[in-house]
Amino acid sequence: NQSDGATGENEIIAGTAPGFPPFEMKEGGDLVGFDIDHLEAVVDETDYELTGWKEFEFGSLIQSLNSGEIDVIAAAMTINDERKEKLAFTDPYYSANQSVLVQTGGDFEPSSLDDLAGRDLGAQSGTTGESIIEDEVDDANYRSFENYVYAVQELERGTLEAIVIDQPVAETFAANRDVEIAFTFETGEKYGLGVRQDDDGLREALNEGIAAVEESGEYEEITQEWFGE
Ligand code: GLN
């Protein structure tokens, strides 16, 4: 298949969007995180070979998948119907809700989405956090960022009042930056790996890999490594 990201028949290239700790981030120039270790473990259980990783903005991952630049997306991507029109997802491998981040010790202390009405809000382009601001918050002054890291910087500076972001990532930023979680709300999102819609063989192999990694205890080890105390 000429449109495949990698050339060998069973060789695949993965795409992700660093800046979303602890799922994917850069450390000393290296790409690391839960999704990196997890996908590598999953592919190890299959007949496929992961030959490399490419980095994109989150908002351009699906396009890069469909253009054949990459073969699989591992980027804490929530499975939803809108995306299913453009790609196929594996079985879920992680569950998350959304949180609202504010400046540590700041004056703005929202406790519900209603409290965000009319405020200066930010999220990463193309995310479910962005959709929530657009669909569920009245009159938000919304700014879209290529990466959540830039939104966190604006929050620290006080040029943004709140960010809507996946809870595990909100917790990581709250632990390392001058921001804190105002509240968390349930969305019941589940992350899946993304493949092209016609790539059934790869999707089925990844599903078997996901199950095997859970059964072997490796999933628990990777979780401990990135989320353990
Ligand atoms: N889980 C969220 C989504 O799928 C955020 C993912 C991300 O920013 N990497 O939209």
Side-chain angles (χ1 to χ4, degrees):
N1 183 341
Q2 280 189 330
S3 72
D4 280 1
T7 44
E9 205 174 325
N10 280 341
E11 294 182 354
I12 55 170
I13 293 178
T16 192
F20 204 65
F23 291 98
E24 37 268 343
M25 63 265 200
K26 298 301 284 268
E27 266 179 22
D30 293 331
L31 179 64
V32 298
F34 178 95
D35 275 333
I36 315 309
D37 288 352
H38 180 249
L39 182 68
E40 288 178 357
V42 166
V43 176
D44 265 349
E45 299 285 345
T46 72
D47 291 336
Y48 288 85
E49 190 196 343
L50 183 60
T51 59
W53 287 85
K54 287 186 185 171
E55 296 163 22
F56 301 88
E57 286 162 20
F58 184 77
S60 54
L61 280 166
I62 296 178
Q63 191 185 311
S64 306
L65 174 73
N66 285 322
S67 71
E69 241 182 299
I70 53 174
D71 304 294
V72 56
I73 297 171
M77 188 177 274
T78 301
I79 298 168
N80 66 29
D81 288 343
E82 191 185 331
R83 289 176 180 155
K84 277 188 198 164
E85 288 173 17
K86 298 183 192 143
L87 78 167
F89 284 104
T90 62
D91 293 336
Y93 67 89
Y94 199 90
S95 302
N97 292 308
Q98 295 281 315
S99 292
V100 171
L101 277 176
V102 295
Q103 196 181 37
T104 305
D107 298 334
F108 185 43
E109 296 172 338
S111 59
S112 71
L113 287 179
D114 284 347
D115 292 343
L116 301 182
R119 297 291 184 152
D120 297 330
L121 308 179
Q124 179 167 292
S125 180
T127 59
T128 49
E130 173 173 78
S131 302
I132 289 161
I133 293 173
E134 287 175 344
D135 300 344
E136 295 178 41
V137 180
D138 290 333
D139 303 321
N141 177 24
Y142 173 60
R143 285 169 65 194
S144 165
F145 293 85
E146 275 173 16
N147 194 287
Y148 270 120
V149 173
Y150 303 137
V152 168
Q153 281 167 7
E154 298 290 308
L155 199 55
E156 288 175 324
R157 276 190 206 123
T159 47
L160 206 60
E161 295 183 280
I163 294 174
V164 180
I165 181 169
D166 299 39
Q167 180 185 18
V169 183
E171 279 171 10
T172 309
F173 281 127
N176 299 307
R177 306 288 296 261
D178 218 8
V179 297
E180 62 188 10
I181 295 180
F183 68 96
T184 291
F185 56 103
E186 206 170 313
T187 56
E189 285 167 70
K190 295 199 181 336
Y191 301 164
L193 302 171
V195 299
R196 282 181 291 276
Q197 286 181 326
D198 61 2
D199 231 345
D200 289 337
L202 176 58
R203 186 174 46 77
E204 280 158 26
L206 292 173
N207 280 341
E208 281 168 25
I210 287 169
V213 163
E214 267 172 39
E215 275 156 34
S216 70
E218 216 176 336
Y219 184 91
E220 183 54 33
E221 277 172 35
I222 297 168
T223 304
Q224 275 303 317
E225 158 118 27
W226 295 104
F227 294 94
E229 312 288 75

